[in-house]
Amino acid sequence: MEYREKLKDKKRIVVKIGSSSLTHPETGSTNLVKLEKLVRALTDLKNQGKEVVLVSSGAIAVGRKKLGLKKQDATISEKQACAAVGQAQLMMMYQKLFAEYNQVAAQILMTKNTMVNSISNKNAKNTFEELLKLGVIPIVNENDTVSTYELQFGDNDRLSAIVAALIKADLLILLSDIDGLFTDDPNTNPTAKFIDVVENIDEKLVHMGKSSSSSDVGTGGMSAKIAAATIATSAGADMVISNGNDIENISKIINGDDIGTLFIANKADDFELVDYLEN
Ligand code: GLU
């Protein structure tokens, strides 16, 4: 399909990986093999001359494991403490793995305020531009330790779409725990059909997205992914939702293979990122 062929030419790519893709479901510990494959795949994109940004969840999940806390009944401050521990731990692993491929990585932590405030918004944008110019792979997460409920992005699906819009990326890849978008929840409805390409995000689709992701580790269900797709495509980026279980999906997508659900960019003439910051 012609749409898929065009993915080969994408130059500025944001990849988002969720906590459930980075941890073993049985133990909650980090899936090191997957982390290593991810780092290799992203470095390889860089080696192909593309600019790459990673939005990685996992701070809370990694910190929780490290501190031996249970997910159930964690208070907000407990989660924030987990994020403080886990984010540093996660970056340590990323830095080590990227270093093995001689790739420099950077950390960018954002809050919704970073985007709402026009000065910090501009600063964030300039920093991304500078890092990409220097050949660095920025690794982004929400600054969970200081984000209060009112000022949260909501989830990293949305954050990655906002980042894609901010830096005018031409492709966003969401690595999820599901193959893509289905007409219904495939876990409960065996007749649910897979959707290969979405040209327009209409009411029907938004309604379909109500069926949620099966994961209990991250925060973004399917409706969060459709909200992300709305932001990314309106900003002018294509977006693909695909399964993070197979990290090879990244290179397959860039190769134009039929992987995941592709949302086609539909740039709105009057696109203003601030209009999309409300949850
Ligand atoms: N920022 C959260 C974390 O790193 C994840 C949020 C999300 O997955 O949507 O743990």
Side-chain angles (χ1 to χ4, degrees):
M1 175 172 259
E2 206 189 322
Y3 282 138
R4 294 284 181 172
E5 276 295 302
K6 285 191 185 150
L7 298 186
K8 289 184 178 166
D9 302 326
K10 298 296 179 184
K11 279 266 169 284
R12 186 170 277 195
I13 303 163
V14 177
V15 176
K16 182 258 168 178
I17 187 140
S19 309
S20 62
S21 302
L22 289 177
T23 48
H24 289 287
E26 308 81 17
T27 59
S29 297
T30 314
N31 187 331
L32 291 172
V33 170
K34 196 153 319 149
L35 208 63
E36 198 161 357
K37 284 184 180 159
L38 174 69
V39 165
R40 208 172 93 122
L42 297 180
T43 307
D44 199 54
L45 281 186
K46 261 297 312 300
N47 291 353
Q48 291 171 42
K50 310 210 184 272
E51 293 173 324
V52 180
V53 172
L54 172 67
V55 175
S56 176
S57 304
I60 297 174
V62 169
R64 182 188 294 133
K65 184 70 195 173
K66 183 102 183 153
L67 295 170
L69 297 174
K70 292 264 171 295
K71 180 171 184 169
Q72 297 84 294
D73 51 61
T75 61
I76 291 182
S77 55
E78 247 168 26
K79 281 193 205 157
Q80 290 177 315
C82 287
V85 172
Q87 179 66 25
Q89 179 85 13
L90 197 58
M91 280 311 296
M92 199 176 75
M93 291 190 276
Y94 276 127
Q95 293 286 17
K96 180 173 182 293
L97 293 171
F98 274 116
E100 282 180 19
Y101 295 103
N102 203 21
Q103 172 61 51
V104 181
Q107 171 182 258
I108 298 192
L109 296 180
M110 298 167 71
T111 64
K112 196 159 147 187
N113 230 3
T114 318
M115 300 305 302
V116 173
N117 180 299
S118 61
I119 296 173
S120 50
N121 177 309
K122 199 162 157 224
N123 274 310
K125 195 161 152 179
N126 289 343
T127 306
F128 272 112
E129 287 299 340
E130 199 60 44
L131 286 170
L132 293 173
K133 202 161 80 192
L134 291 166
V136 175
I137 297 186
I139 304 175
V140 187
N141 198 356
E142 180 156 6
N143 195 353
D144 295 310
T145 51
V146 296
S147 280
T148 55
Y149 178 73
E150 301 77 29
L151 279 175
Q152 271 174 353
F153 284 109
D155 55 72
N156 275 5
D157 294 324
R158 182 185 286 261
L159 171 61
S160 62
I162 289 169
V163 168
L166 180 76
I167 65 167
K168 298 195 167 39
D170 46 16
L171 178 63
L172 167 62
I173 299 177
L174 292 190
L175 295 174
S176 167
D177 53 3
I178 190 160
D179 292 336
L181 184 62
F182 289 81
T183 51
D184 198 356
D185 187 345
N187 297 305
T188 53
N189 180 354
T191 65
K193 289 205 177 58
F194 188 74
I195 302 174
D196 177 43
V197 175
V198 175
E199 287 175 321
N200 264 309
I201 301 171
D202 53 18
E203 276 303 310
K204 208 173 120 209
L205 198 88
V206 173
H207 191 70
M208 254 180 223
K210 71 180 187 331
S211 58
S212 197
S213 141
S214 58
S215 145
D216 66 348
V217 188
T219 46
M222 197 43 82
S223 54
K225 290 175 177 55
I226 292 183
T230 307
I231 300 172
T233 56
S234 314
D238 283 349
M239 186 183 113
V240 179
I241 303 176
S242 86
N243 206 317
N245 269 338
D246 186 2
I247 294 295
E248 296 295 317
N249 280 344
I250 298 175
S251 56
K252 289 182 191 160
I253 290 165
I254 301 297
N255 207 26
D257 294 359
D258 252 333
I259 301 283
T261 300
L262 167 62
F263 294 78
I264 307 296
N266 211 340
K267 193 167 179 352
D269 295 334
D270 55 350
F271 181 83
E272 290 287 348
L273 190 46
V274 284
D275 297 341
Y276 292 84
L277 291 176
E278 287 315 310
N279 287 334

